[in-house]
Amino acid sequence: MQLRRHVLTQWSACVVALALPAVGCTEQPTAGASAQAFNATDSAWILLMIPMSERARLLTDLAPSRTADPALAALAADTGSTLRADLRRLRAVLRLSGVPDTRPHEGHDMPGMVSLDILRQAADANGQAFDRMLTDALGAHFTQSGVLCAGERARGRADRAKDLAAAIAKNTAAAASRLDELSAARARS
């Protein structure tokens, strides 16, 4: 009896372990006819882009009082403004999808997401130390945002989400180019 229970427990654990990835990638519950166009990729992309954008915006908000470089401060201000607009649009598309904002990535530190440690360190830094943190974190954010937006555009189904991903990718590419130019100018001086 003991062996049988152990075998059943192991078998059950294996079934659950194999089923979890499938469950995590199934269609998300939606409400209303307009929400039917959203697939799991759309939902996952939106739910990841919101915290990524929120964290990056928190970092850009620190720049005016911490950076030593006026050009970097201007880039941070423009990026922060763009992120605010992106967040409004992401939340609107999330509402349209009918997927609840369960904040599944709350507290996570993922590639391209400004970490909570960086935010704490940046809040205590000034001048060149802050500038390095801002430059590195924004560069990683821009790169990962581009990757995520490309994935949404390739595998998403909802036109509203795919159009937003295209707009974010375009803005991100322009900001990344501007950041590269600033970094090159700093390296020359």
Side-chain angles (χ1 to χ4, degrees), residues 158-177:
D159 288 338
R160 291 281 302 270
K162 290 168 66 170
D163 291 347
L164 180 54
I168 290 173
K170 181 180 176 185
N171 291 337
T172 297
S177 177

Side-chain angles (χ1 to χ4, degrees), residues 9-120:
T9 304
Q10 282 184 329
W11 183 81
S12 300
C14 287
V15 168
V16 169
L18 291 173
L20 279 177
V23 170
C25 295
T26 59
E27 294 292 321
Q28 298 293 316
T30 57
S34 65
Q36 298 306 312
F38 287 80
N39 67 11
T41 299
D42 299 316
S43 302
W45 175 75
I46 297 164
L47 289 170
L48 180 54
M49 287 301 295
I50 289 172
M52 280 191 57
S53 299
E54 287 173 339
R55 295 257 192 99
R57 185 195 49 79
L58 290 171
L59 182 61
T60 61
D61 287 352
L62 294 172
S65 63
R66 307 222 169 264
T67 185
D69 183 345
L72 191 55
L75 172 66
D78 293 345
T79 300
S81 177
T82 300
L83 288 167
R84 281 179 192 70
D86 290 347
L87 282 163
R88 282 191 299 277
R89 293 184 299 172
L90 284 162
R91 288 184 180 113
V93 172
L94 181 63
R95 282 189 300 278
L96 181 64
S97 77
V99 174
D101 187 3
T102 58
R103 310 222 28 109
H105 302 290
E106 187 74 33
H108 293 177
D109 287 329
M110 296 176 281
M113 182 180 281
V114 176
S115 73
L116 295 173
D117 284 341
I118 289 295
L119 284 173
R120 281 190 285 274

Side-chain angles (χ1 to χ4, degrees), residues 135 178-188:
T135 300
R178 193 169 156 198
L179 182 63
D180 288 345
E181 290 171 11
L182 289 174
S183 296
R186 274 201 318 255
R188 286 191 299 268

